Amino acid sequence: HPLLDLVAFTSIFPAPLGDLPAPEWLQALLKPGATAPLQSDDAVRGAVRDLLRHGGYKPTGRGKPASEYLVRASGDGTLSTINAAVDACNAVSLHSGLPISVVDLDRAQAPFRVATAIQGDRYVFNASGQEIDLEGLLCLFDAQGPCANAVKDAQRTKTDGTTRRTLTLLWGTKELVGRSASAFAWYRELLERLGATVEHPVS
């Protein structure tokens, strides 16, 4: 992909996420006006949308990048804590402007690859059974098919209270030089502060 500047890494948490509540300092990063080393703006939003448009996908309306949803949710006070792994993801995505996917490695099946979804590719993305049409969208695929992307991740591989191991993808773009690396560096600091072990690059 000519625009994709992907960062992928794995994390191992010191306890199941159900036993690892997000500390106050992490929850504070989800609130409007939080101090962070990165800030998003219209240029970042435009570059991310360009990344997703490349394969023919239209990143608008309910199909807009997850990072844009986080900005709105934080602003209206509906961005609440989920678990330490997802909260760290949401904090970095909110402030960097880059969409991020987090997959439970024990619910997904290797081998993994990143590719543009084709006609007919779709998956359920929430507990109520709603589906997203993936055609033209960059996705992470496991042995069973697509399971994550910059818009909505698949329900079947999402983290839950038993999760100990995660695979994370930062959907960066080459239009934003160095931003993926900067976001990952901060992300790693947050995860290590939580006691997680981070492996990058993914071997």
Side-chain angles (χ1 to χ4, degrees), residues 127-151:
S128 62
Q130 289 182 286
E131 290 190 337
I132 178 174
D133 182 353
L134 305 171
E135 183 178 358
L137 181 59
L138 268 172
C139 291
L140 171 70
F141 290 74
D142 73 349
Q144 295 186 42
C147 61
N149 58 56
V151 179

Side-chain angles (χ1 to χ4, degrees), residues 40-48:
S40 186
D41 56 26
D42 288 342
V44 173
R45 285 189 287 275
V48 169

Side-chain angles (χ1 to χ4, degrees), residues 41-178:
D41 56 26
D42 288 342
V44 173
R45 285 189 287 275
V48 169
R49 286 193 175 205
D50 287 346
L51 170 71
L52 301 190
R53 283 192 187 101
H54 181 79
Y57 182 78
K58 295 180 180 179
T60 57
R62 293 184 178 181
K64 64 178 177 289
S67 44
E68 293 186 28
Y69 162 78
L70 293 174
V71 171
R72 186 187 67 190
S74 176
D76 62 22
T78 59
L79 184 55
S80 57
T81 182
I82 297 174
N83 62 50
V86 174
D87 289 356
C89 162
N90 286 347
V92 177
S93 183
L94 171 66
H95 296 289
S96 70
L98 301 181
I100 301 174
S101 295
V102 178
V103 169
D104 184 327
L105 269 175
D106 294 313
R107 300 183 72 184
Q109 296 180 13
F112 296 99
R113 64 186 176 92
V114 170
T116 300
I118 61 174
Q119 185 176 9
D121 283 339
R122 55 198 310 115
Y123 57 57
V124 173
F125 65 84
N126 63 16
S128 62
Q130 289 182 286
E131 290 190 337
I132 178 174
D133 182 353
L134 305 171
E135 183 178 358
L137 181 59
L138 268 172
C139 291
L140 171 70
F141 290 74
D142 73 349
Q144 295 186 42
C147 61
N149 58 56
V151 179
K152 300 179 190 300
D153 293 338
Q155 182 68 19
R156 70 177 176 86
T157 54
K158 284 184 178 179
T159 62
D160 61 17
T162 67
T163 301
R164 286 286 303 269
R165 304 189 309 138
T166 58
L167 170 64
T168 302
L169 287 82
L170 279 73
W171 301 98
T173 169
K174 293 177 182 177
E175 289 185 19
L176 303 170
V177 178

Side-chain angles (χ1 to χ4, degrees), residues 9-46:
F9 63 91
T10 58
S11 304
I12 302 175
F13 290 85
L17 293 179
D19 299 329
L20 197 67
E24 289 186 10
W25 60 262
L26 179 53
Q27 295 184 45
L29 290 171
L30 303 177
K31 297 176 181 177
T35 301
L38 294 166
Q39 291 184 328
S40 186
D41 56 26
D42 288 342
V44 173
R45 285 189 287 275

